[in-house]
Amino acid sequence: MAQEDLIREESMTDLWNVWYSELHQQRAGLTLKVKSVVYSGQSPFQRIDILDTYEFGKMLVLYGSIMITERDEFIYHEMISHPALFTHPNPRRVLVIGGGDGGTVREVLKHPEVEQVTLVEIDQMVVEKCKEYFPQVACQLDNPKTRILFQDGAKFVAETQEKFDVVLVDASDPIGPAEVLFQKKFHQDIYNLLEDGGIMVTQSESPFFHQRTLRRMYENLQGIFPLVKVYWAYVPTYPSGIWSFTLCSKGPDPATDFKAAQYAELGIETNYYNDGIHHAAFVLPNFVRKALGQM
Ligand code: SAM
């Protein structure tokens, strides 16, 4: 290539100097250089953007918040699923609320005793776009064990007569359609549809930036479930990088009921979760213990 063509091409590349910034608390944020805008649209529920970024690959943004990126989605999806599934003695029927990208369903179906996973996602367009642009995440959405219902998760849990062994609340942030998924009534309805010995895990936001949300959820959940434990994982593209989950159980305890033999025998492929992380994730830094009123 002639020198001037090369320079022209480089300057063309420089012209595409597009960055995505997500503000946290309006005062801090995460900024990523964008390679291209893959898709932008509006569903009946929210704005949907898919951006290709240099550092994290393709990224799904809903309602202006990063939901998943190709590079780090495994951490959140493994950690919302496996602690509960390796604690419940026989998780046959699993319910996922939200989670339309399919990453949580993918992890749930690594457990052979799961007979059916029901995904209740409010926004059909999220599922369609994820199947199209994130096939490695949505890869189990067409599995015969997967049943997808397009409806409001809060309405589903309030009205269904079905019972489940494990419920995973894979919700977006508590604004817009997901706000209801952080409320006490929703969690009480989940308690009611869990079988004896059932377990629920909900994502519970950043223990660094969203302490009031986490504390309020923790206190509400303690009023509903006999056992409530917060745990955490490191997710680079979520606000502050440290993310919390809250496990609520009618009986089994992740500390004492971890199925170590089954974990060893199954040998599932994971990139973050393992038997050590299963226990370590529940050890909370002091600032989180203080935020929860534990010290
Ligand atoms: N990993 C993500 C996070 O923490 O940012 C969550 C991702 S997942 C894509 C969240 C999903 O919840 C979205 O697809 C959204 O459409 C869905 N959702 C929001 N409100 C809902 C509701 N009320 N019922 C069912 N699904 C809902």
Side-chain angles (χ1 to χ4, degrees), residues 43 45-46 48 60 62 65-68 73 76-77 80 96-102 104 119-127 130 149-156 169-173 175-182 186 203-205 238-239 243 245:
S43 80
F45 300 98
Q46 56 207 334
I48 301 178
L60 172 69
L62 296 182
S65 295
I66 298 173
M67 293 288 119
I68 57 166
E73 58 83 14
Y76 173 90
H77 292 132
I80 198 171
V96 177
I97 305 281
D101 50 74
T104 300
L119 179 78
V120 181
E121 162 63 58
I122 202 167
D123 194 340
Q124 185 162 359
M125 219 162 129
V126 172
V127 171
C130 289
L149 306 175
F150 292 112
Q151 56 174 284
D152 183 337
K155 194 167 180 316
F156 176 82
V169 184
D170 184 0
S172 14
D173 299 322
I175 43 163
E179 202 176 341
V180 68
L181 307 182
F182 290 79
F186 173 67
Q203 75 94 344
S204 42
E205 301 286 291
Y238 285 176
W243 207 249
F245 303 86

Side-chain angles (χ1 to χ4, degrees), residues 66-130:
I66 298 173
M67 293 288 119
I68 57 166
T69 77
E70 285 181 312
R71 187 163 173 201
D72 70 353
E73 58 83 14
F74 68 94
I75 305 171
Y76 173 90
H77 292 132
E78 291 178 14
M79 289 303 287
I80 198 171
S81 310
H82 300 306
L85 290 161
F86 277 118
T87 297
H88 192 287
N90 189 18
R92 290 183 303 111
R93 289 172 55 76
V94 177
L95 171 65
V96 177
I97 305 281
D101 50 74
T104 300
V105 168
R106 179 192 65 200
E107 296 305 314
V108 167
L109 288 178
K110 289 178 179 173
H111 295 256
E113 68 271 44
V114 173
E115 291 168 5
Q116 186 180 57
V117 53
T118 300
L119 179 78
V120 181
E121 162 63 58
I122 202 167
D123 194 340
Q124 185 162 359
M125 219 162 129
V126 172
V127 171
E128 285 164 5
K129 293 298 160 197
C130 289

Side-chain angles (χ1 to χ4, degrees), residues 44-60:
F45 300 98
Q46 56 207 334
R47 183 183 164 133
I48 301 178
D49 294 292
I50 298 173
L51 309 175
D52 197 3
T53 68
Y54 283 92
E55 201 55 42
F56 284 90
K58 283 207 288 295
M59 170 168 98
L60 172 69

